[in-house]
Amino acid sequence: MASLKVYIVRRVLLAIPMIFILLSIVFLIMRVAGDPVSAILGGHAPQEQIEQIKQQLGLNKPIIFQFFGYIGQLLRGNLGRSLIWGQRPVVNEIWDHFPATLELSISAFLISIIIGIFTGTVAATHRNRFLDHTFRLYGIITYGLFIPWIGIMLQLLFGVYLGLLPIGGRIGTLMEPKSITGLYVLDSLLTLNFDSLVSAIKHLILPSVTLGVYLSGIYTRLTRTHLMETLEKDFIKAARARGLSERAVIYKHGLKNAFIPILTMMGLQFALLLVGAVLTEITFSWPGMGTLLFERITYRDFTTVQGIIVFFALIVVTVNLLVDIIYAYIDPRIRY
Amino acid sequence: MEALLRIKNLKVYYYLREGVVKAVDGVNFSMRKGETVGLVGESGSGKSTLGLSILKLVPSPGKIVDGQILFDSKDITKLDNKKMRMIRGKQVSMVFQDPMTSLNPLMRIEDHLTETIKTHQKVTQEEAKEKAALLLGEVGIPPERAKDYPHQFSGGMRQRVGIALAIALNPDLLIADEFTSSLDVIVQFQILNLMKKLKASYNMGMIFISHDISLVSEIADKIALMYAGQIVEFAPADAFFEEHLHPYSEALLNSVPNVQLSDQKLSYIPGMPPDLVNPPKGCRFYPRCPYAKDLCREKEPPLIEVKPDYMVKCFRYDEKRS
Amino acid sequence: MVEIKYSPSKFIVSKLKSICPRKGTEYFALIGFIIILSIILMAIFAPFIAPYNPIKKVGGILEEPNGRFILGTDGLGRDIFSRIIFGARTAISVTFLAVIISLSFGVLLGLLSGYIGGKFDSIFSLVMDAIYSFPGLILAIVLSAMLGPGILNTAIAIAVIYTPTYFRMVRGLVLSLKESLFVEAARAIGAKDRTIVFKYIFPNVISSVPIVLSLNAADAVLTLAALSFLGLGLPAPTPDWGFDLKAGHAYLASKIWWPSTFPGLMIVILTLGFSLLGEGINEILTPELRR
Amino acid sequence: MKARRMGIFKVILVILPLVALYLTPATASASKTKPIVLGTTDKITVLDPAKTYDFYTWEVFHNIGEGLLKYKPGTTELMPGIAKSYKVSSDGFEYTFKLREGLKFTDGQPLNAAAVKWSIDRVMRLKLDPSWLVSAFVKRVEVVDNYTVKFVLKKPVSFFPSLVTTTPYIPVSSKSYPADKVAEPTVGHYGPYKIKKWVRDVELVLEANPDYYGPQPKSKLFVVKFYKNAATMRLALETGEIDVAWKSLRPIDIKSLKSKGKQKILEVPGPYIRYIICRCNKPPFDDVRLREAVAAAIDRDRICREAYKGTVKPLYSMVPMGMWSHIDAFKQEYGERNLELAKKLLTEAGYSKENPFEIELWYTPTHYGDLEADVAAIIKESLEETGLIKVTLKSAEWATYAAKYITAGTMPIFLLGWYPDYIDPDDYTTVFLHSKWSPDMGVFYSNPTMDNLLDKARTEIEIKNRTELYKKVQKLMAKEAPVIPLFQGILTAATQPNIEGVILDPVMLLRYYLIYRK
């Protein structure tokens, strides 16, 4: 396992240039147009005062100084402070919004995995028959679905016409559970707060179904292809020849083996989950990272946007790393 | 003595987009308990399909379209999947060609065995483990390696595991499909010897499928030679090697380098095996047969019993008799 | 002269012969193709198809679908059907522009990077990998917010996030082809680097592009729609499905469903067209998935 | 088979409680002291009077804090706040305020003259966004005695009492706020309410401040719920989750709520105005005839009717309706709309059908709400109806628009909006029309007569004279048309039928402590 440590360290080190490149792109491009002070004051304060505030924020220095100053801080683990409003530390801003994104992502991910593996397995075991074609089409269609559109359609149906579910927000008035993890559903369960739990789940249903359905198609396709491939393998034939039941063959031997490539793809598809989460959040005014990002771009809150980019990049790296570790755990052939 | 397995006019076809491939087309054959039949033929002759159809595991789009497979006087072509599962592994088991791929890479060796045992017998996990250890011992795998994964084993070791799996439930019939062909020669003989030993102690019938006729000669009591989906010669091993009556057998044996007859000229069989979608109308070997006559083109020869237990599918012996 | 291991043109022709759908899934490509073709035709002949001027008030505000306005009118009394027809122009032109930009840059840089190798290659690969592994839309949002609205700007923002896909694919192919026999042979007879790249490597590389291209186009349609939905796409009053969907979203609570339903549906249909086509081509070019 | 059924059974076992959960109505919390819940799509940006510069946070400060003076609810009339009274020195340089005695911040610190001075000094020292509202006018603050505080101005400013009501002048406690940096404590204020709980962007829970000198708030508990999206807020109002939906309901929602008639809709003209700015120092709009032509051709009525569904009102002056000195200057000059005049002016300027006046009209889609694109589209159409103008719409995202284009003079003609900083005609005129400030707004207008009028109105104390001066300013503005007013916002609140005390006034700050449930 020592070699696994080496592997992790190497992967993390490789992430550094990636983050650096992304940051440079974002950093330079963001400064092309506009600045936060003007975006907020918008002509109200006298010009001299605007200049003065820019100076306080260090926005009047040459870009290259700003850039290396920022990188220097970043290397010390400091994401800096927001440039607008309260100049709150960017870490706090992210910390306030991340649990919402996490909660949405987790529930959407679970929904997509359940739907995806189920439909994919059915398709793979009904190769070239009606159910196979149906679920393949399902895979293609869901991938082409435009999240805001599905979201709006669900809002119309369940929110506006049927009035069953709220169409935005995370929880009802005065229902916020005591914060432990920041995930409302989990916190409500931990504090046994029944009202909060109901409210949190109600608010979570539409956004996570929207995102979950969108992502499920990918898992349908992945499961189908890889399970089909696996079911062609000799050891499946061998397992059948030993008299194992079809369920044992498909689930224990087939799906478990097919899961390895699916897992790798999950890591690669993780970026898609984040993208989907951003759109879902904006459609459902879900107070997460996507909403934060969009709001701060409009105000040219450079440091917060940069912070979010770094954070997203770190998440992507971490998840990929995690996938590799799980991969090594599931597949005895892999040892780093 | 009652036949362990009797196959009557078996036809197994693959329904592909390009047409119907008649992989097994009217095979008749029978074997007794404890007997070893060497099923020999070129690749594509339908021998593997024949082997799989005894377990009813012909992969789709293949289908058993006609005929009977009587095992223990039950026609297994009529059995449903559930009943079939009770036979697979327990009464009829199989050892596969490639030991690399026929074991689940994510499962420990031991788990393969216990899973198989528990599928067919009501035993506890502990009992299954004990049995597994015993079996591994019998095939010559040290007990401490039971917890290893397949990829940690060499090819020969893996094939030993494959054998252990096949004999786990003391089956009446073992089908071994080219099970040594991916191993090097020395290991091949080790495994073959192990197999001989086990066969004797377990009193199993065995169908040994191979394209390597010299290997078959080591172990088989009887030889069944397949050509283009049909059995063309079926005879006791000794008699077969002595007489090899069918023109194809003759050509085949001539093409095999024989260590004893090192100065013998190595010949090969001219022409290609027939297209199984549209096989020749008459005798299937006719286009390549040096003795071919007009009759061979028109009519398919029957399987003729030239002497007790010796059958050949060729008009030359029909003439002899008549 | 030089034996070419694998001839793309012959390969494609032989594959095209088998394109006529015979079984279930092969209809995918055909349906996809028909969808895209009709939307392209819709875009070209928009002025003849659309009953009204898409950017002029022609009826009452938010009229429900009726005889005069078959899909109803939007918040400014414009005909939604006409806006959808003209919206095809926006979608098609930005998508194609984005795909062409990313394709040309990706393929070119990939060829160069793969062929030249060394430091040049490492730097480019690193940059491309960085962009590739990052959630694309998020980068596109930042880019288009800074570049400002407009067809070209939006296309550029989208192109940036798809360039690495082509780059990686082409570079990978070049690296493997570089070692292959026919390039060695060409080098042996004294061909120039440029000749090798464009005459020998390029044609082999380009044959793998169609699948990726089609699937990328599907993604690009969605990305454009997303940018427009966030108000970062084209300036008003350009008919644009994503923007109209967002505008329609505002009326949702009043049970006014038509201004959001139809533009969104068009986005889904066009994406579906590209996905089906990509899937179909993929199936035809890689028959081992079939059987 | 058995195994499969077990699987389904397990699934049912998991789903059943979830369904049960869902069906259980969430009523438990409703029976306790039922607070009034107000929904808004605004947000608290930063809870520090030295830094905050947006209407919503100012509104919060006017409920958890109080200035020396305040507006009488429903009017633009001033009344005493934490100061009992004030006097102005005869030269207009010194304002002396007499404070109420014995007041305490919510963190226990006494609210006295020293505390007021400390707060104002802090705003000036931090030099943050709204600090110019103090530092541009106040020279220093002096403590006369424990309950008397004196402001010495840089020069006489006739609207200083209005300035004093703004948030930077609201005192906070030196115990809770650090002297030299921004902070967001939930204690250390003094007003009718105090903060019980604040979850950023989620909710703000207020409870009555027992130490408040005046009458106690009508509702002991008051909750503000923050929405990201107006449609969600509207549905929350309809399901009864909130009692008041404040400000940002969309026109279509207001219309549909009105037609349903289940909720009360309250509307008053607000001080929020929208207008077009012409860049006056460069062609083409250095030609006054072209500015007049645009002013004459604009169809204000259509914008209000179609884009805003009647939730805004056409505006004919930069000084909003309802404010003293307002006159419909543009209406007097051009009428409601005068296409003929526009055509005549354009022809005079040398344009024709074949050679139309081509302009780029700019707007920003990301700052003034979803309807901005529609507004721009209508303006384009109404100008093109002259047949002599061809408009190309251009847009830029707000940050670019505000930071670069306005002051750089990139945009020849563009849409902008104004929320007042303080309630006085000065705040609506000087910044746009005075040659010293007009470049900051992208107007680049310079006219000595105008400068003179504005300067005079600034220092004149007598309100009657000031009114006359601002009328002249408006007339001159209409004639020269450097800025062209479009419409004035209407403040809207939708409430449940049993909610009373929602008093809307042109100050735009809602007073939560007056709201109650019948």
Side-chain angles (χ1 to χ4, degrees), chain C residues 77-92:
Chain C
R78 299 176 296 201
D79 178 34
I80 291 175
F81 180 64
S82 305
R83 285 188 69 78
I84 279 178
I85 302 287
F86 275 90
R89 289 191 161 185
T90 312
I92 293 286

PDB file of all heavy atoms in Angstrom, chain C residues 77-92:
ATOM      1  N   GLY C  77     -45.802  39.688 -27.615  1.00  0.00           N
ATOM      2  CA  GLY C  77     -46.740  39.530 -28.713  1.00  0.00           C
ATOM      3  C   GLY C  77     -46.093  39.060 -30.000  1.00  0.00           C
ATOM      4  O   GLY C  77     -46.614  39.277 -31.083  1.00  0.00           O
ATOM      5  N   ARG C  78     -44.918  38.420 -29.886  1.00  0.00           N
ATOM      6  CA  ARG C  78     -44.285  37.887 -31.092  1.00  0.00           C
ATOM      7  C   ARG C  78     -44.703  36.424 -31.265  1.00  0.00           C
ATOM      8  O   ARG C  78     -44.999  35.738 -30.284  1.00  0.00           O
ATOM      9  CB  ARG C  78     -42.758  37.985 -30.956  1.00  0.00           C
ATOM     10  CG  ARG C  78     -42.305  39.417 -30.800  1.00  0.00           C
ATOM     11  CD  ARG C  78     -40.826  39.520 -30.580  1.00  0.00           C
ATOM     12  NE  ARG C  78     -40.397  38.893 -29.338  1.00  0.00           N
ATOM     13  CZ  ARG C  78     -39.250  39.184 -28.718  1.00  0.00           C
ATOM     14  NH1 ARG C  78     -38.428  40.095 -29.226  1.00  0.00           N
ATOM     15  NH2 ARG C  78     -38.914  38.588 -27.609  1.00  0.00           N
ATOM     16  N   ASP C  79     -44.706  35.986 -32.511  1.00  0.00           N
ATOM     17  CA  ASP C  79     -45.179  34.645 -32.817  1.00  0.00           C
ATOM     18  C   ASP C  79     -44.114  33.616 -32.435  1.00  0.00           C
ATOM     19  O   ASP C  79     -43.003  33.627 -32.972  1.00  0.00           O
ATOM     20  CB  ASP C  79     -45.494  34.560 -34.314  1.00  0.00           C
ATOM     21  CG  ASP C  79     -45.954  33.171 -34.713  1.00  0.00           C
ATOM     22  OD1 ASP C  79     -46.627  32.532 -33.886  1.00  0.00           O
ATOM     23  OD2 ASP C  79     -45.623  32.744 -35.830  1.00  0.00           O
ATOM     24  N   ILE C  80     -44.443  32.719 -31.529  1.00  0.00           N
ATOM     25  CA  ILE C  80     -43.463  31.751 -31.044  1.00  0.00           C
ATOM     26  C   ILE C  80     -43.037  30.808 -32.166  1.00  0.00           C
ATOM     27  O   ILE C  80     -41.855  30.471 -32.294  1.00  0.00           O
ATOM     28  CB  ILE C  80     -44.007  30.968 -29.842  1.00  0.00           C
ATOM     29  CG1 ILE C  80     -44.125  31.916 -28.650  1.00  0.00           C
ATOM     30  CG2 ILE C  80     -43.112  29.780 -29.483  1.00  0.00           C
ATOM     31  CD1 ILE C  80     -44.747  31.320 -27.431  1.00  0.00           C
ATOM     32  N   PHE C  81     -43.990  30.409 -33.000  1.00  0.00           N
ATOM     33  CA  PHE C  81     -43.646  29.507 -34.100  1.00  0.00           C
ATOM     34  C   PHE C  81     -42.588  30.146 -35.001  1.00  0.00           C
ATOM     35  O   PHE C  81     -41.577  29.514 -35.320  1.00  0.00           O
ATOM     36  CB  PHE C  81     -44.911  29.162 -34.896  1.00  0.00           C
ATOM     37  CG  PHE C  81     -44.657  28.238 -36.052  1.00  0.00           C
ATOM     38  CD1 PHE C  81     -44.205  26.947 -35.832  1.00  0.00           C
ATOM     39  CD2 PHE C  81     -44.856  28.661 -37.358  1.00  0.00           C
ATOM     40  CE1 PHE C  81     -43.958  26.094 -36.889  1.00  0.00           C
ATOM     41  CE2 PHE C  81     -44.605  27.809 -38.424  1.00  0.00           C
ATOM     42  CZ  PHE C  81     -44.165  26.523 -38.191  1.00  0.00           C
ATOM     43  N   SER C  82     -42.785  31.406 -35.358  1.00  0.00           N
ATOM     44  CA  SER C  82     -41.803  32.066 -36.224  1.00  0.00           C
ATOM     45  C   SER C  82     -40.452  32.184 -35.525  1.00  0.00           C
ATOM     46  O   SER C  82     -39.408  32.030 -36.144  1.00  0.00           O
ATOM     47  CB  SER C  82     -42.294  33.460 -36.607  1.00  0.00           C
ATOM     48  OG  SER C  82     -43.558  33.382 -37.186  1.00  0.00           O
ATOM     49  N   ARG C  83     -40.497  32.456 -34.227  1.00  0.00           N
ATOM     50  CA  ARG C  83     -39.226  32.573 -33.501  1.00  0.00           C
ATOM     51  C   ARG C  83     -38.493  31.238 -33.449  1.00  0.00           C
ATOM     52  O   ARG C  83     -37.273  31.187 -33.529  1.00  0.00           O
ATOM     53  CB  ARG C  83     -39.454  33.109 -32.084  1.00  0.00           C
ATOM     54  CG  ARG C  83     -39.742  34.587 -32.060  1.00  0.00           C
ATOM     55  CD  ARG C  83     -39.776  35.150 -30.653  1.00  0.00           C
ATOM     56  NE  ARG C  83     -38.469  35.183 -29.991  1.00  0.00           N
ATOM     57  CZ  ARG C  83     -37.531  36.084 -30.210  1.00  0.00           C
ATOM     58  NH1 ARG C  83     -37.725  37.037 -31.099  1.00  0.00           N
ATOM     59  NH2 ARG C  83     -36.399  36.058 -29.535  1.00  0.00           N
ATOM     60  N   ILE C  84     -39.250  30.176 -33.349  1.00  0.00           N
ATOM     61  CA  ILE C  84     -38.621  28.850 -33.320  1.00  0.00           C
ATOM     62  C   ILE C  84     -37.959  28.554 -34.663  1.00  0.00           C
ATOM     63  O   ILE C  84     -36.835  28.057 -34.725  1.00  0.00           O
ATOM     64  CB  ILE C  84     -39.673  27.781 -32.973  1.00  0.00           C
ATOM     65  CG1 ILE C  84     -39.879  27.757 -31.474  1.00  0.00           C
ATOM     66  CG2 ILE C  84     -39.245  26.415 -33.472  1.00  0.00           C
ATOM     67  CD1 ILE C  84     -40.899  26.792 -31.019  1.00  0.00           C
ATOM     68  N   ILE C  85     -38.679  28.894 -35.750  1.00  0.00           N
ATOM     69  CA  ILE C  85     -38.127  28.643 -37.086  1.00  0.00           C
ATOM     70  C   ILE C  85     -36.828  29.428 -37.265  1.00  0.00           C
ATOM     71  O   ILE C  85     -35.804  28.882 -37.673  1.00  0.00           O
ATOM     72  CB  ILE C  85     -39.137  29.078 -38.175  1.00  0.00           C
ATOM     73  CG1 ILE C  85     -40.457  28.347 -38.004  1.00  0.00           C
ATOM     74  CG2 ILE C  85     -38.543  28.869 -39.566  1.00  0.00           C
ATOM     75  CD1 ILE C  85     -40.429  26.918 -38.386  1.00  0.00           C
ATOM     76  N   PHE C  86     -36.878  30.700 -36.911  1.00  0.00           N
ATOM     77  CA  PHE C  86     -35.667  31.513 -37.072  1.00  0.00           C
ATOM     78  C   PHE C  86     -34.599  31.125 -36.053  1.00  0.00           C
ATOM     79  O   PHE C  86     -33.409  31.279 -36.305  1.00  0.00           O
ATOM     80  CB  PHE C  86     -36.000  33.004 -36.972  1.00  0.00           C
ATOM     81  CG  PHE C  86     -36.456  33.590 -38.276  1.00  0.00           C
ATOM     82  CD1 PHE C  86     -37.790  33.607 -38.627  1.00  0.00           C
ATOM     83  CD2 PHE C  86     -35.527  34.100 -39.173  1.00  0.00           C
ATOM     84  CE1 PHE C  86     -38.201  34.126 -39.838  1.00  0.00           C
ATOM     85  CE2 PHE C  86     -35.928  34.620 -40.391  1.00  0.00           C
ATOM     86  CZ  PHE C  86     -37.266  34.643 -40.727  1.00  0.00           C
ATOM     87  N   GLY C  87     -35.051  30.636 -34.908  1.00  0.00           N
ATOM     88  CA  GLY C  87     -34.097  30.186 -33.890  1.00  0.00           C
ATOM     89  C   GLY C  87     -33.194  29.079 -34.420  1.00  0.00           C
ATOM     90  O   GLY C  87     -32.053  28.931 -33.976  1.00  0.00           O
ATOM     91  N   ALA C  88     -33.711  28.303 -35.373  1.00  0.00           N
ATOM     92  CA  ALA C  88     -32.891  27.249 -35.970  1.00  0.00           C
ATOM     93  C   ALA C  88     -31.636  27.831 -36.597  1.00  0.00           C
ATOM     94  O   ALA C  88     -30.573  27.230 -36.567  1.00  0.00           O
ATOM     95  CB  ALA C  88     -33.703  26.486 -37.013  1.00  0.00           C
ATOM     96  N   ARG C  89     -31.775  29.044 -37.145  1.00  0.00           N
ATOM     97  CA  ARG C  89     -30.597  29.685 -37.758  1.00  0.00           C
ATOM     98  C   ARG C  89     -29.519  29.895 -36.712  1.00  0.00           C
ATOM     99  O   ARG C  89     -28.354  29.588 -36.924  1.00  0.00           O
ATOM    100  CB  ARG C  89     -30.990  31.044 -38.334  1.00  0.00           C
ATOM    101  CG  ARG C  89     -31.835  30.927 -39.546  1.00  0.00           C
ATOM    102  CD  ARG C  89     -31.967  32.264 -40.230  1.00  0.00           C
ATOM    103  NE  ARG C  89     -32.396  32.034 -41.594  1.00  0.00           N
ATOM    104  CZ  ARG C  89     -32.512  32.993 -42.508  1.00  0.00           C
ATOM    105  NH1 ARG C  89     -32.227  34.237 -42.195  1.00  0.00           N
ATOM    106  NH2 ARG C  89     -32.911  32.695 -43.716  1.00  0.00           N
ATOM    107  N   THR C  90     -29.937  30.472 -35.579  1.00  0.00           N
ATOM    108  CA  THR C  90     -28.978  30.722 -34.508  1.00  0.00           C
ATOM    109  C   THR C  90     -28.313  29.426 -34.080  1.00  0.00           C
ATOM    110  O   THR C  90     -27.090  29.320 -34.035  1.00  0.00           O
ATOM    111  CB  THR C  90     -29.713  31.328 -33.302  1.00  0.00           C
ATOM    112  OG1 THR C  90     -30.545  32.373 -33.766  1.00  0.00           O
ATOM    113  CG2 THR C  90     -28.743  31.820 -32.280  1.00  0.00           C
ATOM    114  N   ALA C  91     -29.155  28.440 -33.789  1.00  0.00           N
ATOM    115  CA  ALA C  91     -28.622  27.184 -33.258  1.00  0.00           C
ATOM    116  C   ALA C  91     -27.655  26.553 -34.250  1.00  0.00           C
ATOM    117  O   ALA C  91     -26.535  26.173 -33.897  1.00  0.00           O
ATOM    118  CB  ALA C  91     -29.767  26.230 -32.949  1.00  0.00           C
ATOM    119  N   ILE C  92     -28.097  26.453 -35.493  1.00  0.00           N
ATOM    120  CA  ILE C  92     -27.269  25.781 -36.499  1.00  0.00           C
ATOM    121  C   ILE C  92     -25.977  26.558 -36.736  1.00  0.00           C
ATOM    122  O   ILE C  92     -24.882  25.994 -36.751  1.00  0.00           O
ATOM    123  CB  ILE C  92     -28.054  25.620 -37.823  1.00  0.00           C
ATOM    124  CG1 ILE C  92     -29.206  24.640 -37.631  1.00  0.00           C
ATOM    125  CG2 ILE C  92     -27.134  25.184 -38.946  1.00  0.00           C
ATOM    126  CD1 ILE C  92     -28.803  23.195 -37.533  1.00  0.00           C
TER     127      ILE C  92
END
